[in-house]
């Protein structure tokens, strides 16, 4: 039954016009930014550290220029449409009429959102890695923030770790967005509330600035030896947000 729910959620997700529109906008941004990558040849680890783009560092730098769109456009739109749009349109009531456990349905919807972001990141990584090797200046080693000089294998592992940590942050954004989408009366307010929460996190604590500047924060974390960012901060936030999600999801009066 879990597999059937997952496939059904995937089908509903890809049938939505908003899904196609957001993916088309992201594809356009990907092509647009890559065009300027080739023309300029310069990117940034953060606002204070610029870097020449080469065949080994192109994938992380490409994501840096796209992460803002993923955080503030792609994820909030997808999550609001899935968790709130279906409720306000009545589609979710039709699903819940069937004997599906609410917790299972929540995790299916959450997993589909995570899968969408994972696919987007995989495509971005492949484009950045492949075109970096084909178009950007070929080098045998490259230097990342903090003075880490890495060869071909080391740069590849760095890139995968970079994308992996970004993915974990995006999962946390999905989880926070899903809470707000369940609580808000319509999808527009869900989207605005998610954006507000991400921006507002900067004012709550400097440690939460990774919600606003995802890739800059990850570059800094990877420049620190023995960073415990995932264990001490990100995973607890993810766990707490999932617990709140389950509580709200169970208490919500979906069928009226």
């Amino acid at each position: 039954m879990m597999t059937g729910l997952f496939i059904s959620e995937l089908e509903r997700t890809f049938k939505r016009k908003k899904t196609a529109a957001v993916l088309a906008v992201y594809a356009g941004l990907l092509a647009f930014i890559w065009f300027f990558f080739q023309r300029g040849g310069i990117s940034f680890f953060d606002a204070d550290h610029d870097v020449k783009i080469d065949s080994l560092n192109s994938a992380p730098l490409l994501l840096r220029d796209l992460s803002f769109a993923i955080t503030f456009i792609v994820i909030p739109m997808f999550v609001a449409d899935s968790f709130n749009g279906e409720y306000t349109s009545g589609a979710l009531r039709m699903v819940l009429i069937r004997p599906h456990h609410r917790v299972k349905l929540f995790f299916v919807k959450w997993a589909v959102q995570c899968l969408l972001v994972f696919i987007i990141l995989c495509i971005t990584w492949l484009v950045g890695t492949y075109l970096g090797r084909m178009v950007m200046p070929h080098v045998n080693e490259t230097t990342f923030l903090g003075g880490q000089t890495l060869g071909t294998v080391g740069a590849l592992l760095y890139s995968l770790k970079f994308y992996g940590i970004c993915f974990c942050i995006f999962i946390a954004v999905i989880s926070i967005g899903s809470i707000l989408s369940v609580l808000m009366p319509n999808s527009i307010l869900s989207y605005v509330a998610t954006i507000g929460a991400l921006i507002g996190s900067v004012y709550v604590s400097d440690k939460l600035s990774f919600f606003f500047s995802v890739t800059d924060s990850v570059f800094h974390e990877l420049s620190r030896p023995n960073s415990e960012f995932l264990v001490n901060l990100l995973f607890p936030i993810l766990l707490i947000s999932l617990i709140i999600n389950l509580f709200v999801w169970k208490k919500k009066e979906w069928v009226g």
Side-chain angles (χ1 to χ4, degrees), residues 106-128:
F106 164 75
F107 275 114
V108 163
K109 295 179 78 64
W110 180 80
V112 167
Q113 297 305 306
C114 293
L115 177 62
L116 282 172
V117 174
F118 180 77
I119 292 171
I120 287 172
L121 288 180
C122 285
I123 292 172
T124 305
W125 182 82
L126 287 171
V127 169

Side-chain angles (χ1 to χ4, degrees), residues 1-7 103-105 107-108:
M1 183 177 288
M2 195 77 166
T3 304
L5 273 175
F6 187 82
I7 294 173
V103 172
K104 286 184 179 179
L105 184 57
F107 275 114
V108 163

Side-chain angles (χ1 to χ4, degrees), residues 120-158:
I120 287 172
L121 288 180
C122 285
I123 292 172
T124 305
W125 182 82
L126 287 171
V127 169
T129 301
Y130 179 74
L131 292 182
R133 303 290 174 86
M134 301 277 39
V135 179
M136 304 311 296
H138 178 77
V139 295
N140 293 319
E141 60 181 26
T142 191
T143 303
F144 290 99
L145 186 67
Q148 300 179 73
T149 300
L150 302 172
T152 302
V153 175
L156 176 61
L157 294 175
Y158 181 99

Side-chain angles (χ1 to χ4, degrees), residues 13-231:
T13 298
F14 282 101
K15 283 180 180 178
R16 297 183 195 122
K17 293 181 179 179
K18 286 183 183 178
T19 301
V22 171
L23 290 176
V25 169
Y26 185 79
L29 284 173
L30 181 60
F32 179 78
I33 289 174
W34 183 254
F35 173 77
F36 280 97
F37 253 47
Q38 297 179 16
R39 297 293 296 272
I42 299 291
S43 186
F44 302 86
F45 291 127
D46 59 23
D48 301 318
H49 300 88
D50 59 359
V51 58
K52 290 184 178 180
I53 307 168
D54 57 48
S55 58
L56 298 182
N57 65 16
S58 55
L61 294 173
L62 180 62
L63 181 57
R64 181 189 185 272
D65 287 346
L66 288 163
S67 63
F68 189 87
I70 296 174
T71 306
F72 291 95
I73 299 176
V74 175
I75 293 177
M77 288 286 286
F78 282 164
V79 172
D81 212 26
S82 176
F83 285 89
N84 187 284
E86 283 194 347
Y87 167 59
T88 54
S89 69
L92 193 58
R93 293 182 180 89
M94 299 302 296
V95 177
L96 287 168
I97 287 173
R98 300 172 184 176
H100 298 311
H101 196 286
R102 287 189 175 195
V103 172
K104 286 184 179 179
L105 184 57
F106 164 75
F107 275 114
V108 163
K109 295 179 78 64
W110 180 80
V112 167
Q113 297 305 306
C114 293
L115 177 62
L116 282 172
V117 174
F118 180 77
I119 292 171
I120 287 172
L121 288 180
C122 285
I123 292 172
T124 305
W125 182 82
L126 287 171
V127 169
T129 301
Y130 179 74
L131 292 182
R133 303 290 174 86
M134 301 277 39
V135 179
M136 304 311 296
H138 178 77
V139 295
N140 293 319
E141 60 181 26
T142 191
T143 303
F144 290 99
L145 186 67
Q148 300 179 73
T149 300
L150 302 172
T152 302
V153 175
L156 176 61
L157 294 175
Y158 181 99
S159 176
L160 291 173
K161 188 175 182 180
F162 181 89
Y163 272 73
I165 297 176
C166 287
F167 180 54
C168 290
I169 295 174
F170 292 142
I171 291 176
V173 174
I174 290 170
S175 301
I176 292 170
S178 62
I179 296 172
L180 296 171
S181 293
V182 171
L183 295 175
M184 293 293 108
N186 59 62
S187 55
I188 295 176
L189 287 177
S190 299
Y191 178 83
V192 173
T194 302
I195 300 298
L198 295 175
I199 296 174
S201 65
V202 178
Y203 299 97
V204 173
S205 172
D206 290 341
K207 292 182 179 180
L208 298 178
S209 62
F210 63 86
F211 281 126
F212 185 79
S213 55
V214 176
T215 51
D216 290 22
S217 299
V218 176
F219 276 126
H220 279 277
E221 289 301 323
L222 290 177
S223 70
R224 299 170 183 146
N226 304 318
S227 172
E228 296 182 347
F229 165 72
L230 288 175
V231 175

